[in-house]
Amino acid sequence: MGDVGIDRRAFLAGVGGITVGAGAASLTACETRPGRTSTVSGTTLVVRNFGGSYGEANRKAVYDPFTRETGVRIKVVNFAHDQMLAQIREGRPRFDVMDIDMSNLLLFAREGASEPLDYGRLKNTRNAGIPQSLLTPNGVGKSYWASVLAYRTDAFDGRKPESWADFWSLGAFPGSRALQGEVDWPELEFALLADGVPLDGLYPLDVDRAFRVLDEIRGSVRTFWEYGAEPGELLSRGSVKASSTWAGRLQHLIDDKVPLAYEWNGARRQSNGYGIPKGSANPDAAYKLIDFALRPEVQAHMARLYPDGPVVPAAYGHLTESTAMRLASTPGHLLSGFDLDIDWWLENQDAVTRRWQKWLRA
């Protein structure tokens, strides 16, 4: 699951004077600085991630193996995005690597707060099949996560909703619903899919149409959830029969035989990635860590511990089918879902967010 919620909203509110196109630096910009040694053994590299089970999985799958191989020790911090930006603006970032979602990496690039990446130093991105959209000038994708439809398998007389159109069909699939509240981008895409818009025709979003479709289901939405565990709590109690959710957040309940399931058709994918803040004290070690984390076997190890999908397709050769089918970047799921258009959302976020907040409170 991505780095979202209050942290993102605070960061977006704190970013001022964004210049569109400022992130269009060359993919081959050189990062090595005069007089900077390439010897990294014994270095302590400070990585910012959002902690919790995600941080622990990174420790086991990435950081500890990297330390054993290189001698570079890893220290983890969990600064909020506005804190990160303030430190960079002061010229004294207290972290060397950013592990954040790709939309915020784009915002950091536009603010001039991150270093252009030298892809010549990231050999594991070469011919690796990483989507071009994740190879950006100032950030490289590391994992996929997704918002999907979830439902109680005992709710609809043995039938299962197989699309967002089914989620909206209260006649065929009666019962209370839950949708995401203000914790991340509004789920306008799901309303449009329910109304017949094809996956490849979503963007630019028809905002008026999306809100009209949301109006149709408003009376049956019991809750607009605000934290990742909430859909599982609502579904397991039977408070709602179907909900949007972040893929992976229900897996422990499913493993415990709670009658829940996911539907991946129409999944909305987002990505986390790595960036290097402007003024990083240890760019050499930062490049080595990022490159290490993009090895197929390391990507696979991470996916076994935390339900985000690898960005390197070869990682799936190291995973069992049962594990692969739970991940957002499994080939079948890539075909049945779509990538959130970061550029569209950043361009339209203010107007859409105001309208969304007004609609929620109406």
Side-chain angles (χ1 to χ4, degrees):
M1 278 56 65
D3 193 0
V4 296
I6 294 173
D7 197 28
R8 169 184 282 172
R9 292 202 298 271
F11 175 66
L12 293 174
V15 172
I18 292 176
T19 303
V20 176
S26 168
L27 288 176
T28 59
C30 182
E31 169 61 26
T32 304
R33 298 177 181 178
R36 187 71 58 91
T37 177
S38 62
T39 301
V40 297
S41 181
T43 299
T44 296
L45 186 70
V46 182
V47 180
R48 186 274 177 193
N49 69 41
F50 56 92
S53 57
Y54 177 81
E56 182 60 23
N58 271 283
R59 171 68 62 189
K60 293 177 180 177
V62 183
Y63 305 153
D64 288 349
F66 177 74
T67 297
R68 289 193 294 269
E69 179 173 305
T70 66
V72 176
R73 297 181 296 274
I74 302 294
K75 176 183 176 181
V76 177
V77 295
N78 185 13
F79 297 121
H81 295 146
D82 53 345
Q83 293 175 303
M84 297 165 66
L85 189 60
Q87 292 175 23
I88 294 168
R89 284 172 169 167
E90 292 169 359
R92 296 184 293 108
R94 295 189 288 279
F95 53 98
D96 302 306
V97 180
M98 301 180 284
D99 179 344
I100 56 178
D101 67 86
M102 293 295 288
S103 62
N104 283 326
L105 283 173
L106 178 57
L107 284 169
F108 272 96
R110 291 179 176 182
E111 279 288 287
S114 58
E115 298 283 2
L117 291 180
D118 178 0
Y119 278 86
R121 302 177 69 177
L122 297 174
K123 66 179 185 302
N124 288 311
T125 64
R126 300 173 200 161
N127 303 313
I130 300 173
Q132 195 62 37
S133 61
L134 300 184
L135 300 172
T136 72
N138 293 59
V140 57
K142 68 184 292 283
S143 61
Y144 280 108
W145 58 283
S147 298
V148 298
L149 191 165
Y151 60 95
R152 288 192 64 94
T153 58
D154 59 357
F156 307 117
D157 296 325
R159 292 174 298 130
K160 62 178 184 177
E162 297 180 339
S163 66
W164 290 106
D166 288 345
F167 183 94
W168 253 257
S169 180
L170 297 169
F173 298 92
S176 298
R177 306 293 201 256
L179 286 169
Q180 184 176 273
E182 296 182 63
V183 68
D184 194 17
W185 310 114
E187 295 173 332
L188 302 188
E189 294 93 340
F190 298 157
L192 293 172
L193 291 174
D195 202 40
V197 176
L199 292 173
D200 61 0
L202 283 170
Y203 297 100
L205 297 183
D206 186 333
V207 175
D208 291 337
R209 181 177 179 180
F211 276 97
R212 287 196 299 270
V213 179
L214 283 165
D215 284 339
E216 297 172 5
I217 203 175
R218 175 64 182 267
S220 295
V221 179
R222 180 186 179 100
T223 302
F224 291 95
W225 54 270
E226 293 293 346
Y227 57 93
E230 192 173 3
E233 295 168 2
L234 294 165
L235 287 162
S236 61
R237 292 197 305 261
S239 300
V240 300
K241 305 302 183 185
S243 176
S244 61
T245 188
W246 295 332
R249 293 307 296 259
L250 307 185
Q251 195 58 51
H252 68 290
L253 297 169
I254 295 172
D255 292 342
D256 288 341
K257 309 304 181 185
V258 179
L260 306 178
Y262 296 117
E263 173 53 57
W264 284 89
N265 185 24
R268 184 174 77 172
R269 287 186 300 272
Q270 299 186 60
S271 302
N272 288 348
Y274 284 121
I276 300 175
K278 184 73 71 174
S280 169
N282 295 296
D284 293 332
Y287 272 104
K288 288 184 179 296
L289 175 68
I290 295 170
D291 202 40
F292 181 89
L294 295 175
R295 292 179 184 176
E297 64 275 16
V298 176
Q299 290 253 297
H301 192 182
M302 181 67 186
R304 293 187 202 101
L305 298 176
Y306 192 84
D308 278 3
V311 300
V312 178
Y316 280 97
H318 300 270
L319 295 172
T320 65
E321 183 177 356
S322 61
T323 297
M325 291 307 296
R326 300 177 180 181
L327 304 174
S329 54
T330 297
H333 296 161
L334 287 175
L335 293 174
S336 64
F338 65 95
D339 292 323
L340 179 141
D341 188 323
I342 294 173
D343 288 317
W344 187 92
W345 273 108
L346 291 180
E347 182 179 348
N348 294 277
Q349 62 160 333
D350 290 339
V352 174
T353 298
R354 285 194 299 269
R355 185 168 177 178
W356 175 240
Q357 291 171 340
K358 182 178 179 181
W359 187 85
L360 287 175
R361 290 158 177 72

